[in-house]
Amino acid sequence: MTSDSDAAVQITRPRSVHRAWIVAAVAFLALLGAAGFRAAPPVLMVPITDEFGWSRGVLSAAVGVNLLLFGLTAPFAAALMDRFGIRTVTSVALTVVALGSALTVFVTAPWQILLTWGLLIGLGTGSMALVFAAMVTDRWFVRRRGLVSGILTAGSATGQLIFLPVVAALADSSGWRTASLVVAGGALAVVPFVLLFLRNSPEEVGELPYGATEQPAPVLVTGNPAMRAIRALRDASSVRTFWALMVGFAICGATTNGLVGVHFIPSAHDHGMPQTTAAGLLAVVGIFDIVGTIASGWLTDRVDPRLLLGAYYAFRGVALLFLPALLSDALHPSIVVFIVVYGLDWVATVPPTIALCREVFGTQGPLVFGWVFASHQVGAGIASVVAGVVRDATGEYTAAWFGAAGLCVVAAVLSVGIARRSAPVTG
């Protein structure tokens, strides 16, 4: 007969591959599938404009709504994951992304693109944004947290890498509607893997988090998820570090997703560069982002995250300062250097930001990061709209590039000046 203690040993016996790594792999795949839509707007803007005659500002507004909801949904999604489980929320979110992208093929008026690109896909992607990566890392890992958060963050870049050239080629050869359907299929294809392999916590399957020697005390989650998210904001808002992270991450979003992510391809097209070539360059950003973000995760386990953030923002500002002089109708080594530098720095800011949230806010860390990430997307949404307006008003993007470079200096100074705490604020 097997005693209860023997059974417990059998349940928690280490596997050749810890289940945490399987969960991380599925989370990476889910982030990859949701990232497909982020490859679409920069590529589809020109053909949609050509077909309907809508201004660049109208389409930028749809992307702006998407980016705002992508961020503002995140802290509430973190609370929903606490309440109903990571697997359930992630599955529903991927389905909504697929629905929004598929319905895009029926649009005939600007308000409809605001509904599909903006509302549906914004809510879907926001429900499993990078706060999802923070949640998985926090629950399943004690060791290698920085590295894992870097790998999961790179999932978005990998999605862009895979989808961007495909979407560009399909839009060029088969039309933008076919490209939208492919993006929908990519998000939907991940759902079975999430349902089969993603687990909410190690405790659910009788295992310890990776690197843990004892089971952490369970956190009882009750009450309204929306109120939990709002209480986390209330608690964090009294800490100066929170506001420094919020402003810095808003600038991060403005200078990546909002500006370069949305407007690099149209801007390169303005200079005579073929759209497929510009899309290929943006895909190369995705390649180097994988390297940069994983390396940033590794460094976050070893280096003061404040110094890392300051360096990342400073390098990004210098790169943006030179961009207007680098764009032309053909590929040159200088624009390739920009792409490499910007790729390495794209979302390298995420692992040190997650680490600071965990260090300062303790068990509230993922919820607080949800609000910090919301500021990232608010910055991205504003930059997307402003850059489109600048382009419509001046005929070029130069003022937008220079303005973003100045904002990066502000983010670098704020990040280096963040005060660290020896004891976490747990709420």
Side-chain angles (χ1 to χ4, degrees):
M1 180 178 293
T2 303
S3 68
D4 290 343
S5 60
D6 290 338
V9 171
Q10 290 174 3
I11 291 174
T12 59
R13 183 185 303 153
R15 301 170 174 230
S16 56
V17 177
H18 195 286
R19 189 187 291 269
W21 294 108
I22 298 173
V23 170
V26 176
F28 180 92
L29 191 64
L31 287 165
L32 183 151
F37 176 76
R38 284 197 288 282
V43 173
L44 302 185
M45 269 189 174
V46 173
I48 290 177
T49 299
D50 291 343
E51 178 173 337
F52 295 108
W54 301 338
S55 72
R56 200 73 61 83
V58 167
L59 295 176
S60 297
V63 177
V65 170
N66 171 277
L67 293 173
L68 286 171
L69 287 175
F70 183 42
L72 294 174
T73 306
F76 299 99
L80 286 170
M81 288 178 184
D82 271 339
R83 184 73 173 85
F84 300 108
I86 297 174
R87 179 169 53 176
T88 300
V89 174
T90 303
S91 301
V92 172
L94 286 166
T95 303
V96 172
V97 171
L99 180 65
S101 188
L103 288 177
T104 303
V105 303
F106 301 109
V107 302
T108 56
W111 70 267
Q112 294 168 342
I113 203 77
L114 286 169
L115 176 65
T116 55
W117 277 18
L119 181 63
L120 287 177
I121 298 178
L123 289 174
T125 53
S127 295
M128 55 161 301
L130 294 180
V131 70
F132 167 60
M135 188 76 72
V136 170
T137 303
D138 192 64
R139 288 190 178 183
W140 280 93
F141 291 86
V142 171
R143 294 176 56 227
R144 303 288 188 266
R145 277 176 167 169
L147 177 63
V148 174
S149 64
I151 292 171
L152 293 182
T153 302
S156 295
T158 306
Q160 183 186 54
L161 165 65
I162 291 173
F163 281 102
L164 190 55
V166 175
V167 172
L170 284 172
D172 194 48
S173 62
S174 303
W176 63 268
R177 290 179 176 82
T178 300
S180 295
L181 291 174
V182 168
V183 171
L188 203 58
V190 182
V191 174
F193 293 93
V194 171
L195 293 174
L196 286 172
F197 299 110
L198 190 63
R199 294 294 180 268
N200 296 314
S201 68
E203 185 182 18
E204 183 181 279
V205 290
E207 294 194 16
L208 296 175
Y210 181 79
T213 56
E214 60 182 17
Q215 192 69 255
V219 179
L220 181 63
V221 178
T222 59
N224 188 313
M227 290 307 300
R228 289 193 66 242
I230 292 170
R231 281 196 297 271
L233 174 63
R234 180 199 62 194
D235 295 340
S237 63
S238 63
V239 182
R240 291 180 61 185
T241 295
F242 172 71
W243 294 107
L245 290 171
M246 287 275 283
V247 174
F249 226 45
I251 293 171
C252 178
T255 53
T256 52
N257 300 66
L259 186 58
V260 175
V262 175
H263 292 284
F264 177 81
I265 293 176
S267 180
H269 184 74
D270 288 345
H271 286 77
M273 183 179 291
Q275 184 166 282
T276 51
T277 302
L281 285 174
L282 208 54
V284 173
V285 168
I287 297 175
F288 284 95
D289 182 37
I290 296 169
V291 177
T293 308
I294 293 175
S296 177
W298 183 85
L299 286 170
T300 299
D301 288 330
R302 295 163 174 80
V303 179
D304 186 339
R306 300 172 303 170
L307 300 180
L308 291 176
L309 287 174
Y312 296 155
Y313 289 128
F315 280 122
R316 186 180 299 176
V318 171
L320 284 169
L321 197 61
F322 285 99
L323 180 58
L326 303 180
L327 289 170
S328 67
D329 59 353
L331 284 178
H332 297 287
S334 55
I335 192 66
V336 175
V337 171
F338 169 85
I339 290 297
V340 171
V341 170
Y342 222 79
L344 291 172
D345 198 8
W346 186 260
V347 285
T349 54
V350 173
T353 302
I354 290 176
L356 285 169
C357 286
R358 184 186 307 115
E359 175 185 314
V360 176
F361 301 102
T363 57
Q364 293 275 67
L367 279 175
V368 173
F369 177 71
W371 286 110
V372 174
F373 181 73
S375 74
H376 183 280
Q377 297 310 115
V378 169
I382 293 172
S384 171
V385 174
V386 169
V389 171
V390 167
R391 166 60 174 76
D392 287 342
T394 66
E396 59 183 22
Y397 286 98
T398 302
W401 303 129
F402 285 162
L407 288 175
C408 286
V409 176
V410 175
V413 172
L414 284 174
S415 299
V416 172
I418 287 174
R420 303 185 73 177
R421 287 174 172 267
S422 57
V425 176
T426 61

